[in-house]
Amino acid sequence: MQHTILTADRPTGKLHIGHYIGSLKNRVRLQNSGEYRTFIMIADMQALTDNARNPEKIQNSLIEVALDYLAVGIDPSKSTIFVQSQIPALNELTMYYLDLVSLARLKRNPTVKSEIQQKGFGESVPAGFLAYPISQAADITAFKADTVPVGDDQEPMLEQTREIVRSFNTTYQKDVLVEPAGLFPPKGQGRLPGLDGNAKMSKSLNNAIYLSDSADELHQKVMKMYTDPKHIHVEDPGQIEGNIVFDYLDVFATDQKQVAALKTQYRHGGLGDVKVKCYLEEVLNATLAPIRQRRGEYAKDLGTVYQILKTGSQKANEVAAQTLSEVRAAIGVNYFDKH
Ligand code: TRP
C-alpha cells in the first residue's frame, strides 16, 4: 500500500531558514520521491487556539506560509496543500476523540506543558489550546497518514495520536484509524541556531533569516551574525565551536572541503570574520535566491495562490469526509444510513 504523509505548520508568521532545514527541504524530497501521497496543511485553527483575539495575524500569516511552501518547491500537482479550518470533518473527529482522552493525560503532554509555561497561561489556558493535541490527532488520522515529518518537539503529539488510534480501534472494535510514525530530521540537523547564537531561531527572539528576506536583508543579517567574541584581530586564532557562521556553513555549503580549509585557517589565525561571512552570504544565496525569485512571482499573483489552497482544501475534504463516515459507522452514530 502507498504511504501517506500529513504534516502542517501553524500560520503565526513567515517561515525561516530553520523551518527550511528542519522540515521544508525534507518535504520537497519526500514529495518528489513519488512514494507518498502528501498532504500539507496550514493549521489555522491550531494557531487560533492561542490567538483567538488576533485573527488578522492568522489571516495574514496564512498567505505568507502558502507563499513559503510554493517558493521552496512544494508542488500543488504532487502535494495537496490545504487549510485546516476548511475541513469540517476535522472538528467532528476532534469531538469524538475528546471523549477518549482524560484531562490528566492532556495536562501531562510535555510540549503543551512547556508552551503553557512559556506563554504564562497558568490556569487561564484556553481549553482549545490544552486540547490541541487531540485536534492534531484528528488532522493526522483523517488522512490515515502513517508518516508525519516533523521536528523532535512533535513526538508527544504523535504519541498522543497513537494512543487515541489504539483506544478508538479497541473501543469500537474496528480498525478504522491508522497509527502514525514520526519522521524526524537526522540528529544534529533538526535545529538551526539563531543569528545571535541562541539555540533556537525564532520570530519572537528576532534572530531569524526568513525565506522572504531580500538579498539586502540577508546581507545585513549575515554581517551582524554572532561569531567568536574573542576573535578581535584578523591574525588572532579563532574558535569554531559555538561560532554560528561555521554552524551555518556546515549545514548549507555544498563544498565542505572549502569549509574545512576555512576552519583550519580560522583556528590558526589570519582569517577575518567578514571574509567568512561573505562566503556564507554567497552560500546562503545559492539556496535562497531561487526561493526568493519563485516567492516573488507567486506574490504577484495571490489569486492563484488562494485558488491552490481552495482546490487543495476541496480535495482534502473528500478524503477527511470518507474517514469521518467510517468513524461514525464504527461508533454507530450513522442512524439514518440504517433506517
Ligand atoms: N503542532 C504543529 C506545529 O506546531 C502543527 C501541526 C498541526 C501539525 N497539526 C499537525 C504537525 C498535524 C503535524 C501533523 O508545528
Side-chain angles (χ1 to χ4, degrees):
M1 205 185 77
Q2 203 190 19
H3 293 288
T4 301
I5 282 176
L6 179 287
T7 185
D9 296 281
R10 292 183 201 175
T12 52
K14 299 179 287 190
L15 302 181
H16 52 62
I17 60 172
H19 294 117
Y20 181 71
I21 289 305
S23 164
L24 295 170
K25 194 177 166 191
N26 203 22
R27 290 185 205 172
V28 174
R29 187 179 60 77
L30 294 165
Q31 160 198 278
N32 292 337
S33 75
E35 286 167 36
Y36 299 89
R37 219 163 49 122
T38 305
F39 294 93
I40 301 182
M41 182 182 83
I42 306 183
D44 60 338
M45 285 196 297
Q46 190 175 111
L48 281 167
T49 59
D50 64 330
N51 287 285
R53 287 165 189 84
N54 195 5
E56 296 81 16
K57 174 172 149 191
I58 310 308
Q59 288 154 28
N60 297 334
S61 303
L62 179 106
I63 193 72
E64 297 290 346
V65 169
L67 285 170
D68 288 329
Y69 283 171
L70 295 166
V72 298
I74 290 173
D75 176 350
S77 73
K78 295 181 186 160
S79 296
T80 304
I81 310 174
F82 70 100
V83 182
Q84 188 183 29
S85 62
Q86 306 308 301
I87 316 298
L90 298 179
N91 301 312
E92 194 174 331
L93 289 173
T94 302
M95 282 306 281
Y96 297 130
Y97 299 168
L98 274 163
D99 303 329
L100 297 171
V101 180
S102 72
L103 184 58
R105 174 64 182 88
L106 274 180
K107 287 186 174 168
R108 270 203 308 275
N109 185 307
T111 304
V112 178
K113 217 164 140 178
S114 77
E115 282 174 321
I116 290 174
Q117 212 160 39
Q118 265 170 34
K119 295 173 197 279
F121 279 139
E123 284 296 306
S124 309
V125 59
F129 188 85
L130 187 66
Y132 89 70
I134 300 185
S135 141
Q136 191 158 333
D139 302 337
I140 295 168
T141 55
F143 298 89
K144 302 197 175 179
D146 56 4
T147 311
V148 183
V150 278
D152 299 323
D153 64 320
Q154 295 295 304
E155 174 55 26
M157 306 301 161
L158 289 157
E159 190 50 41
Q160 179 105 60
T161 302
R162 286 189 289 266
E163 279 175 36
I164 290 172
V165 168
R166 288 195 286 267
S167 174
F168 185 96
N169 289 347
T170 328
T171 304
Y172 302 112
Q173 299 189 3
K174 256 214 161 88
D175 279 337
V176 173
L177 304 180
V178 175
E179 280 193 44
L183 190 62
F184 302 102
K187 281 267 167 293
Q189 274 195 35
R191 184 156 275 182
L192 200 63
L195 295 170
D196 55 357
N198 193 298
K200 196 179 162 191
M201 180 175 281
S202 88
K203 189 180 168 191
S204 50
L205 296 170
N206 192 24
N207 65 0
I209 294 175
Y210 293 97
L211 296 171
S212 49
D213 280 349
S214 68
D216 196 44
E217 284 167 311
L218 177 69
H219 175 76
Q220 304 290 337
K221 287 182 180 179
V222 171
M223 289 305 150
K224 271 193 265 177
M225 272 175 85
Y226 180 84
T227 58
D228 172 6
K230 293 195 189 115
H231 184 243
I232 297 166
H233 306 290
V234 172
E235 56 276 13
D236 292 344
Q239 201 174 316
I240 306 294
E241 293 70 28
N243 189 324
I244 308 299
V245 176
F246 284 102
D247 288 347
Y248 282 28
L249 283 174
D250 286 342
V251 173
F252 285 96
T254 41
D255 186 355
Q256 284 298 329
K257 263 199 203 133
Q258 169 75 350
V259 175
L262 287 174
K263 282 182 182 172
T264 309
Q265 202 190 347
Y266 193 83
R267 278 205 181 94
H268 180 267
L271 179 59
D273 283 307
V274 173
K275 245 197 177 142
V276 192
K277 285 179 170 180
C278 285
Y279 179 58
L280 175 63
E281 185 183 348
E282 200 181 295
V283 161
L284 285 175
N285 260 322
T287 299
L288 295 177
I291 293 176
R292 199 182 293 138
Q293 152 114 28
R294 239 186 326 237
R295 203 180 190 283
E297 277 159 27
Y298 278 111
K300 278 189 257 165
D301 188 8
L302 293 184
T304 297
V305 180
Y306 279 109
Q307 191 56 48
I308 289 169
L309 296 180
K310 189 174 170 188
T311 309
S313 298
Q314 282 161 347
K315 205 169 144 198
N317 232 328
E318 285 169 27
V319 180
Q322 171 59 32
T323 304
L324 177 62
S325 79
E326 293 167 31
V327 160
R328 283 168 148 254
I331 303 174
V333 292
N334 56 337
Y335 315 109
F336 310 129
D337 293 355
K338 292 181 280 189
H339 300 283

